[in-house]
Amino acid sequence: MGEQQFQSGIEEVSSSSSNKAVQQFGIEDVSSAKAVLLGALAPGVNGPTWHALKIIFLVLVISLIMMLALAFTSSDFALILHIGFLVFITLVLFVLMSRFLEQTGLVSVQHQMEEMGLMPKDCGETSKKTD
């Protein structure tokens, strides 16, 4: 069932995005959910996907810190050590991802759509020519 929803989401992104871009000879704004889906499938990381990842990391760190506080109240050293290590891994992963994106930069949603073949390449060029 989840795979069918995933496939229908891909088809929806494909049909609606390419039709809008072709009809208006420009690039229509893509919703954040569609941009995150494109970010998961296409090479590179776009802005909405990075924003969603930052929110996910924030929620993860908050929940791990709450678990760490509960571990301190239970006075179980093994549990404190284990959760502390999880917090450390999460923070290191976030820092490494941030530094990697600083070096490589973000990719635009339109570029990802062109790479996946969801938008004609000449459509993006015509919008650049009109600007």
Side-chain angles (χ1 to χ4, degrees):
M1 181 170 172
E3 191 172 319
Q4 291 173 344
Q5 291 174 342
F6 183 71
Q7 289 294 334
S8 66
I10 293 173
E11 291 170 4
E12 180 183 321
V13 169
S14 172
S15 64
S16 67
S17 299
S18 61
N19 289 339
K20 287 179 185 177
V22 170
Q23 287 174 357
Q24 297 189 2
F25 300 106
I27 298 169
E28 186 71 26
D29 289 333
V30 180
S31 71
S32 293
K34 289 180 183 179
V36 170
L37 180 64
L38 281 171
L41 299 175
V45 178
N46 59 37
T49 302
W50 179 236
H51 183 69
L53 280 172
K54 287 193 292 188
I55 291 172
I56 290 168
F57 271 107
L58 178 67
V59 171
L60 178 62
V61 166
I62 290 171
S63 65
L64 286 173
I65 288 174
M66 289 172 56
M67 288 174 60
L68 191 61
L70 288 173
F72 273 117
T73 60
S74 72
S75 300
D76 186 8
F77 181 72
L79 189 59
I80 293 170
L81 186 65
H82 180 79
I83 296 173
F85 186 66
L86 290 175
V87 171
F88 175 73
I89 289 173
T90 302
L91 293 175
V92 167
L93 180 61
F94 181 75
V95 168
L96 289 175
M97 287 177 64
S98 296
R99 287 188 180 174
F100 176 74
L101 284 175
E102 280 179 14
Q103 293 176 358
T104 60
L106 295 174
V107 177
S108 70
V109 176
Q110 291 81 13
H111 180 70
Q112 286 181 327
M113 290 174 67
E114 287 175 2
E115 279 196 20
M116 290 184 64
L118 298 177
M119 184 172 67
K121 292 187 180 197
D122 60 341
C123 178
E125 292 172 4
T126 56
S127 67
K128 289 178 185 175
K129 289 179 184 176
T130 59
D131 289 341

